[in-house]
Amino acid sequence: MVSPAIALAFIPFVFTLLLRYRHYFLLFYRAVLVRRLRDYLTGIPKEERAFQYVLTHAIPGDPLHILETFDQWSYHCEYLSHLGPQKAKILERLIYEKCPLSVLELGTYCGYATILIAQSLPLGARLYTVEMDVRKATVAEKVIRLAGFDDDTVELIVGPSEEVIPQLKEKHGLLQADFVFMDHWKRCYLRDLQLLEAHDLLPEGATILADNIIFPGAPQFLQYVKACGKYQWKLHRTSLQYFRAIRDGMAQLSYTGLKR
């Protein structure tokens, strides 16, 4: 049995730990504990609750107002792990700069980044977005259509990325992707980048933007990008969406196609 004196000695350590990592504890509380409690009490998934809020408060056909409404929900109601306003500026600026005619998004989630990309695309461009979770894809479909985008602009593909990528050419007509946005499972970043290479889906000069490179992180992906000689890359330092005190980043890659 631990003596009171030893227990008291640990109090400063525990207090320091809680103070230092308070933002991560708050993230865990908002992203996990609150979600599970409300899932249990309502019987409705968090993403569906968010969509009901957007449906009630956002202006249909106004993509930017829908994004702002999602932000309000995430700041004041429940945490959603979509892009958020700070990172959205980086993605939006790159879409305007690169003017891609074909965009591939891996990880649709609730459709936040999807409608951001879609409203920034040049005339005649097309976005292919991939989501493996059927329930989240159902929410995303409703969000995308609420924003006013049809199948001619945005094609939502439901399935695991490792199965969808090899079928993009024959089944979906995507010959090559000028721009790729990766925001799905971080452990899949490297595998899916190599799949895109193997199936010749990246033209020379293609841009890849990968989110959450620092938190939760994708170290193997970054190691490959640095060592393989096929990419020029840079890191956009940001904070985690809706948590300014937690450091994060987005990796921007330019595909050269050649080993140095």
Side-chain angles (χ1 to χ4, degrees), residues 26-36 46 79 243:
L26 180 60
L27 174 62
F28 178 76
Y29 169 75
R30 292 193 61 203
V32 179
L33 299 183
V34 171
R35 183 203 70 200
R36 289 183 178 177
K46 175 178 65 175
Y79 178 79
F243 276 87

Side-chain angles (χ1 to χ4, degrees), residues 49-60 69 146:
R49 294 195 297 273
F51 173 70
Q52 292 302 323
Y53 181 87
V54 169
L55 191 61
T56 303
H57 294 85
I59 301 171
T69 308
L146 182 69

Side-chain angles (χ1 to χ4, degrees), residues 95-96 98-103 117-126:
I95 294 293
Y96 281 129
K98 305 299 181 181
C99 293
L101 292 178
S102 56
V103 178
I117 295 170
Q119 65 93 27
S120 306
L121 289 175
L123 188 65
R126 187 168 172 78

Side-chain angles (χ1 to χ4, degrees), residues 90 93-94 209 214 234-238 248-252:
I90 297 172
R93 176 175 56 79
L94 283 175
L209 185 66
I214 295 176
K234 64 183 291 186
L235 179 66
H236 298 276
R237 295 191 178 275
T238 67
D248 197 8
M250 305 175 83
Q252 177 187 336

Side-chain angles (χ1 to χ4, degrees), residues 187-231:
R187 65 175 181 268
C188 300
Y189 279 14
L190 176 56
R191 179 201 67 197
D192 288 350
L193 183 66
Q194 292 175 330
L195 277 174
L196 292 170
E197 294 173 359
H199 290 274
D200 193 29
L201 286 161
L202 297 176
E204 186 175 345
T207 299
I208 300 97
L209 185 66
D211 192 17
N212 301 125
I213 287 299
I214 295 176
F215 183 85
Q220 292 180 328
F221 171 82
L222 278 182
Q223 184 179 12
Y224 172 78
V225 166
K226 294 175 183 179
C228 71
K230 300 177 184 178
Y231 299 93

